[in-house]
Amino acid sequence: MESDQYNEPTVIGGCSVPVRVNRKSKRDPTVVNISGVRIGAVPVTIIAGPCAVESYEQLLSTAEAVKKGGGVLLRGGAFKPRSSPYNFQGLGKEGIKMLVEVRKQTGLPFVTEVMDPRMVEFVAEHADMLQIGSRNMHNYPLLIEVGKTRKPVLLKRGMMATLEEFLLSAEYILNQGNEQVVLCERGIRTFETTTRNTLDLSAVPMLKHLTHLPVIVDPSHGTGLRWMIPAMANASVAAGADGLIMEIHYKPEEALCDGHQSLNPDEFFLLMSDLKKIAKAIGRDLAEEISL
Ligand code: PEP
Ligand code: MN
């Protein structure tokens, strides 16, 4: 029997890897191109920005900090999946317009969440990358709809999803002909209560082992604790993540959403210099330039 890695059994530890996302179906890792920003190549890609778009001033100031710190892609939710219907739900279409304007000002492409299959066309028209949030990883009509677009997709792991279920959701998107999918580990629910979620860093090497798709980590939702983000961000890069998505806010204490897990600009700058050292120590670097 050959010992070649491409001849390993398809079922690994009880996880059956679907065909299109399966690493065996493709020799080279997938590199996703988001308006010139690549995820899945050697350099590690840093995505940062506020949890939610709150105002033009908030978004622009935060985006300027992202750029200054070396982030290459801006995040910001306009359609927010809030657990409570009484919390700030996002600015909707207005928020998307602000993201477009801030992209013009800073040159940073942006990723933003789409929650409703009926909004996919509108969001895809404006955004550089579509985010499917944790709560919607199992929303199959939504996965099919984003799969019909040719926009890169950031698929976040469901908070109660196994890696097999996660990969099956990615398969839905690829099945529609859209192969530009990035997987994001963002923490899962366990019996632990000290952190918002349990960040499953073992998912990083396991997913890299099972699929050719790029894998990034969200240490903000993964911990829910601002002070813990640097440690888990550094560990994610050391574990082989192709990128990070992190919440930063120009004034976290005034944030309408997730301020407690948002870094301020100075904390972000400090973290970026550590991340660069770790990336270099493992033969990578931080992605710097937008190469259109
Ligand atoms: C987000 O990234 O804005 C978000 C809501 O995260 P998640 O879907 O992972 O909870
Ligand atoms: Mn958030």
Side-chain angles (χ1 to χ4, degrees):
M1 201 169 114
E2 290 184 63
S3 60
D4 185 298
Q5 59 181 1
Y6 295 98
N7 287 303
E8 284 171 1
T10 311
V11 178
I12 299 176
C15 171
S16 169
V17 186
V19 59
R20 292 186 201 279
V21 302
N22 197 311
R23 192 161 57 86
K24 285 191 227 167
S25 69
K26 202 165 167 269
R27 277 203 174 248
D28 295 322
T30 293
V31 177
V32 173
N33 188 324
I34 306 117
S35 307
V37 171
R38 301 195 312 157
I39 305 183
V42 172
V44 175
T45 309
I46 305 298
I47 308 170
C51 176
V53 177
E54 299 167 4
S55 69
Y56 184 70
E57 189 207 348
Q58 170 251 13
L59 186 64
L60 182 62
S61 309
T62 307
E64 281 168 347
V66 170
K67 196 174 166 123
K68 188 173 165 198
V72 287
L73 196 61
L74 178 67
R75 62 148 291 147
F79 297 98
K80 292 302 302 174
R82 301 307 300 277
S83 300
S84 167
Y86 304 114
N87 285 342
F88 176 59
Q89 301 286 307
L91 297 179
K93 286 186 173 178
E94 276 310 304
I96 302 282
K97 285 184 200 154
M98 289 177 192
L99 284 159
V100 169
E101 190 51 40
V102 166
R103 175 176 59 200
K104 234 185 267 169
Q105 293 296 318
T106 61
L108 288 173
F110 69 87
V111 54
T112 196
E113 180 159 354
V114 57
M115 298 197 298
D116 183 332
R118 294 166 298 186
M119 290 305 292
V120 168
E121 198 181 335
F122 173 79
V123 180
E125 217 174 279
H126 298 94
D128 300 282
M129 184 180 215
L130 306 173
Q131 178 172 321
I132 302 293
S134 185
R135 291 156 188 79
N136 273 314
M137 190 211 82
H138 293 290
N139 185 338
Y140 305 116
L142 182 61
L143 297 175
I144 290 170
E145 217 46 45
V146 299
K148 286 184 194 158
T149 75
R150 290 300 171 262
K151 283 280 166 176
V153 177
L154 177 59
L155 178 64
K156 299 190 84 173
R157 180 180 181 180
M159 59 187 84
M160 288 179 281
T162 64
L163 293 185
E164 183 174 0
E165 290 164 337
F166 192 16
L167 291 171
L168 283 164
S169 288
E171 187 84 359
Y172 265 94
I173 301 170
L174 268 70
N175 249 340
Q176 297 301 315
N178 187 349
E179 294 175 354
Q180 297 276 290
V181 176
V182 175
L183 302 173
C184 177
E185 164 59 41
R186 49 76 73 204
I188 50 174
R189 282 207 166 152
T190 67
F191 48 81
E192 184 51 63
T193 54
T194 56
T195 44
R196 180 175 179 181
N197 290 290
T198 296
L199 188 58
D200 179 12
L201 284 190
S202 66
V204 175
M206 182 55 88
L207 287 169
K208 301 284 294 177
H209 184 73
L210 299 176
T211 176
H212 52 81
L213 297 174
V215 179
I216 70 167
V217 175
D218 174 349
S220 307
H221 293 89
T223 62
L225 297 164
R226 177 185 307 133
W227 63 268
M228 216 184 226
I229 292 167
M232 299 315 281
N234 286 331
S236 302
V237 172
D242 296 303
L244 295 169
I245 180 164
M246 295 184 287
E247 290 185 333
I248 81 162
H249 195 288
Y250 80 138
K251 291 177 187 166
E253 58 290 349
E254 289 178 18
L256 296 179
C257 183
D258 286 351
H260 55 91
Q261 61 182 43
S262 301
L263 299 177
N264 67 33
D266 287 339
E267 291 165 331
F268 176 64
F269 301 154
L270 205 62
L271 173 58
M272 288 297 277
S273 80
D274 285 347
L275 289 170
K276 198 169 180 68
K277 288 181 215 151
I278 291 177
K280 284 192 169 168
I282 58 164
R284 303 181 84 159
D285 198 347
L286 297 189
E288 273 177 2
E289 282 168 31
I290 297 174
S291 49
L292 281 171

